Amino acid sequence: MKPADISQLHALGAPTISPDGQHAIVSVTRPDLESDEYRGGLWLVRTDGSTEPRRLTRGPRDAAPAYSPDGAWLAFVRGGDGAKPQLYVMPTAGGEPWKVTDQPLGVSEPVWSPDSRRLAFVARVPEEGRYGDGEPDKERPRRITGLQFRWDDLGFYLDRRAHVFVVDPFAEEHSPTQVTEGDFDHGEVAWSPDGSLLAFVAARHDERDTTLTNDVWVAAPDGSGLRRLTATDLLAAAPRFTPDGASVCFLGSTAGSDGRKLVCRNLGLWLVPLAGGATRRLTDEERLHLCEAPYVPTADGVLVTVENRGAKDLLRVPYAGTEPEVLIGGPREVTAVAQAADVTVVTVADARTPGELVALRDGGERTLTSFGRDLDVLPIEEVTGTAPDGYPVHGWIVRPAGEGPHPVLLMIHGGPFTQYGWHVFDEAQVYASAGYAVVMGNPRGSSGYGQAHGRHIIGDVGRLSAVDLLALLDAALATGGLDASRAGVLGGSHGGFMTTWLAAHHGERFRAAISERAVNAIDSFHGSSDIGWSFAHDMYGEDPARWVEQSPLTHADKIDIPFLIIHSEHDWRCPVEQAQRLFVKLRLRGVEAELLLFPGEGHELSRSGLPSHRVARFEAILDWWGRHL
């Protein structure tokens, strides 16, 4: 796999399924290097696998398909070529789609009403005079009074709040009704089974600017009868009515007594009665960390995806909160689910494909698509290290072809509360194809291994993470075929934090390093990051005096190996000053250091940046390793 081969890596969106369970529709998106955009359309798939998938639309970028409950219509969002994403509707029996909305900042989350006559959606509403066709740098100043006012890859949002709308797509004039009002963000809308209510999440409480909590709300489609269902003690997301309409499910995490502590906490499935009452957690807080992915309440329980040691399993969670049933497990990742008429369709990735559509029906499981059939990828093998305290550290090796000995890259994920797993990972494939054995894993601090596993590193992140990472590297080297004298270390975000830490404290193990979009100085991260005001205290401890000792920048005077720093100019998660401070300190000491800055990009460059920038990043990384390993 070469850098430009990212154009072959498709991404599947959340599928929608026809009411009779016979068809599914899914969006398929790929990077397009010629246009330097992401392009994709919708594909129609029979759930019995009797025919080949058929392309339904051609974009330029179509996503978020939704079947109407009567099966006659399909709603979706179309964007691309510089246009804001807008809502479209087309007949499922055949015909051209028509445009329903013309929101100045675009729309998202289309959901049909139960009678198939209306659509709810979410759109940001700009303040008058902002975000128009004029020059953004000449707009009036922003008055900021709270701690939450911007977000990486979005920008400022206090002057363009997200609101819920309802529209009749069949009217002669498509005039959406704005359901929500006020200086609050609303989103993740769902209809009640009888169509009388909309559920959504919003932080409308007085402390919203200084806490991370929000609530599940319900209101009539005209905005009347607004009512809060939860107790403002959780971070809630994705409300969905149960089939009987008596309760609302949602995803949520506990936020601590001050409403700010969410780091390394498992996301759970919750239930709240529509008539009012206490919320109830349906999944075990310690064991199960749910994915932030589409889920489905059914009559027999709730279909959810859960991280599990690098996998993502599909579970059915009973409403009684008893032990869930595993519907899909093993070394693969379920990323979204839909169900109708006793047929379940899921998107599934594994070590051979970025994702395919799979059906569970008639008592069996069947793969319906082969979008990744032309990919030629290297296999991944599991490896487990043992930390000095006896704790197992789980990971993988992606080896180049041939016997070796191969130079080695220790690759560290961000988060830290996330996981590497069983899917085609472009970074591992590109580096291994270029001749480097890639070692990657989920040390303590990662998700998917229980909440205690994730919270182990809090308050002493660098030291405790390093122990597990080096144990994993040693276990990989012990398998043979790897050259310990030619090892490099790299990572992004938290992985960049740990790259700098390892280069300073264990630099003898590595010949060179690459740190991307990293936290290097906790004190300035605390004030300059979009999440720093809460994350720093929660992750690194309550004592700012200790932040200095825990900051990789403090120890940069111990770094002597060649060091490449990659950052994006518009990164608001780990602002660019984090890179600049490290670069200046290394260069003034005479260390061989380079700073590669990407204009116009945010924290997500390596995953969703311009295709040309993603290729340029890969080429720079391979050039660096080529010079030093």
Side-chain angles (χ1 to χ4, degrees):
M1 186 175 179
K2 303 294 194 297
D5 291 335
I6 61 169
S7 61
Q8 298 181 38
L9 295 180
H10 65 273
L12 299 188
T16 184
I17 189 168
S18 60
D20 61 7
Q22 297 305 303
H23 295 88
I25 295 174
V26 66
S27 64
V28 183
T29 305
R30 287 184 171 87
D32 185 293
L33 294 175
E34 184 175 345
S35 65
D36 206 15
E37 284 198 34
Y38 293 84
R39 296 194 177 277
L42 305 180
W43 289 73
L44 179 69
V45 184
R46 285 194 60 88
T47 61
D48 62 3
S50 59
T51 61
E52 289 292 312
R54 177 170 66 86
R55 185 154 189 172
L56 195 62
T57 70
R58 295 187 175 275
R61 189 171 182 180
D62 298 337
Y67 265 109
S68 62
D70 63 7
W73 309 99
L74 180 74
F76 62 95
V77 171
R78 170 170 288 176
D81 287 344
K84 300 294 184 183
Q86 302 293 344
L87 180 59
Y88 283 72
V89 169
M90 65 185 295
T92 56
E96 290 298 314
W98 68 88
K99 186 179 179 183
V100 176
T101 63
D102 192 21
Q103 296 294 122
L105 300 182
V107 308
S108 62
E109 306 176 38
V111 188
W112 285 98
S113 62
D115 62 3
S116 302
R117 298 303 305 170
R118 295 167 294 173
L119 280 158
F121 63 90
V122 174
R124 291 196 172 272
V125 179
E127 283 186 359
E128 187 175 353
R130 292 197 190 277
Y131 304 103
D133 297 328
E135 298 182 52
D137 291 341
K138 293 185 177 180
E139 292 179 355
R140 66 184 184 279
R142 294 178 172 89
R143 185 178 299 276
I144 298 167
T145 59
L147 295 174
Q148 302 190 62
F149 55 90
R150 57 179 177 153
W151 198 251
D152 185 70
D153 271 354
L154 171 62
F156 292 97
Y157 59 81
L158 78 167
D159 47 17
R160 44 173 169 167
R161 294 297 189 183
H163 289 286
V164 176
F165 291 79
V166 171
V167 66
D168 178 355
F170 307 108
E172 288 188 16
E173 296 291 333
H174 306 307
S175 181
T177 298
Q178 186 171 327
V179 177
T180 59
E181 299 285 350
D183 188 23
F184 320 103
D185 281 305
H186 307 78
E188 301 182 282
V189 62
W191 289 88
S192 64
D194 63 2
S196 65
L197 291 173
L198 293 169
F200 46 86
V201 294
R204 298 174 62 97
H205 53 287
D206 292 341
E207 295 77 29
R208 64 187 177 277
D209 284 328
T210 57
T211 69
L212 299 172
T213 56
N214 63 355
D215 286 291
V216 176
W217 297 78
V218 292
D222 63 1
S224 62
L226 180 66
R227 182 163 58 92
R228 177 169 56 88
L229 296 185
T230 52
T232 324
D233 56 352
L234 303 169
L235 176 63
R240 300 289 182 266
F241 285 89
T242 55
D244 62 7
S247 300
V248 176
C249 299
F250 63 94
L251 305 180
S253 297
T254 56
S257 59
D258 62 359
R260 300 183 186 182
K261 291 183 171 56
L262 286 167
V263 169
C264 299
R265 295 187 182 274
N266 281 346
L267 184 67
L269 176 67
W270 299 72
L271 190 72
V272 60
L274 181 61
T279 57
R280 181 162 55 91
R281 189 169 188 147
L282 302 183
T283 53
D284 184 88
E285 182 175 8
E286 172 55 36
R287 289 193 301 118
L288 299 180
H289 178 54
L290 273 65
C291 306
E292 295 182 20
Y295 70 98
V296 180
T298 73
D300 300 325
V302 187
L303 303 181
V304 300
T305 54
V306 174
E307 292 186 1
N308 179 19
R309 296 178 55 81
K312 294 179 180 178
D313 300 338
L314 178 67
L315 307 185
R316 180 187 288 119
V317 179
Y319 292 109
T322 51
E323 187 65 17
E325 175 188 1
V326 179
L327 303 181
I328 294 181
R332 47 186 173 166
E333 300 182 28
V334 177
T335 55
V337 58
Q339 188 187 67
D342 294 325
V343 177
T344 301
V345 293
V346 293
T347 50
V348 181
D350 60 28
R352 298 294 306 172
T353 174
E356 304 296 346
L357 203 63
V358 173
L360 302 178
R361 57 173 296 168
D362 305 323
E365 176 184 323
R366 181 165 189 159
T367 300
L368 304 176
T369 62
S370 55
F371 294 118
R373 63 181 175 271
D374 296 329
L375 289 177
D376 182 15
V377 295
L378 293 163
I380 64 177
E381 61 185 83
E382 284 186 278
V383 61
T384 300
T386 303
D389 63 356
Y391 195 85
V393 186
H394 180 223
W396 297 266
I397 306 171
V398 183
R399 296 178 187 267
E403 296 182 1
H406 305 291
V408 185
L409 301 179
L410 175 63
M411 189 162 63
I412 310 168
H413 67 62
F417 199 58
T418 184
Q419 63 169 13
Y420 281 140
W422 295 99
H423 64 272
V424 175
F425 186 23
D426 60 343
E427 302 207 30
Q429 292 294 325
V430 166
Y431 306 148
S433 295
Y436 305 94
V438 179
V439 179
M440 57 185 189
N442 296 322
R444 279 172 283 190
S446 306
S447 57
Y449 298 76
Q451 191 163 265
H453 179 97
R455 295 186 63 79
H456 172 78
I457 65 171
I458 288 178
D460 199 4
V461 178
R463 289 182 183 83
L464 294 176
S465 299
V467 167
D468 283 8
L469 288 165
L470 294 177
L472 181 64
L473 176 60
D474 288 337
L477 294 172
T479 65
L482 309 184
D483 186 352
S485 69
R486 290 186 295 154
V489 58
L490 74 162
S493 196
H494 165 75
F497 174 106
M498 285 310 305
T499 294
T500 310
W501 185 275
L502 288 172
H505 293 87
H506 305 278
E508 75 284 354
R509 299 291 303 268
F510 306 101
R511 278 199 184 180
I514 301 177
S515 171
E516 298 188 71
R517 58 183 185 275
V519 179
N520 291 309
I522 301 169
D523 57 351
S524 58
F525 167 82
H526 173 250
S528 62
S529 167
D530 59 352
I531 64 171
W533 63 275
S534 63
F535 188 94
H537 286 278
D538 202 359
M539 187 78 224
Y540 306 112
E542 296 291 338
D543 181 8
R546 286 209 63 213
W547 295 353
V548 176
E549 198 278 331
Q550 288 198 56
S551 293
L553 184 67
T554 300
H555 308 280
D557 56 358
K558 303 174 187 175
I559 296 176
D560 294 312
I561 60 176
F563 206 100
L564 173 62
I565 303 167
I566 300 176
H567 221 95
S568 297
E569 293 181 1
H570 292 175
D571 188 336
W572 283 4
R573 182 61 38 83
C574 297
V576 69
E577 54 90 13
Q578 296 283 315
Q580 293 166 328
R581 292 179 69 184
L582 178 62
F583 175 69
V584 169
K585 190 167 187 177
L586 294 177
R587 288 293 293 138
L588 287 176
R589 290 185 51 248
V591 175
E592 181 184 349
E594 295 181 13
L595 175 60
L596 183 67
L597 284 179
F598 283 88
E601 298 288 359
H603 197 65
E604 298 298 309
L605 161 66
S606 65
R607 294 176 281 262
S608 58
L610 285 177
S612 62
H613 282 169
R614 290 176 63 186
V615 170
R617 169 185 169 273
F618 270 143
E619 291 173 343
I621 289 172
L622 293 179
D623 172 72
W624 183 261
W625 294 135
R627 282 189 272 154
H628 296 291
L629 299 189

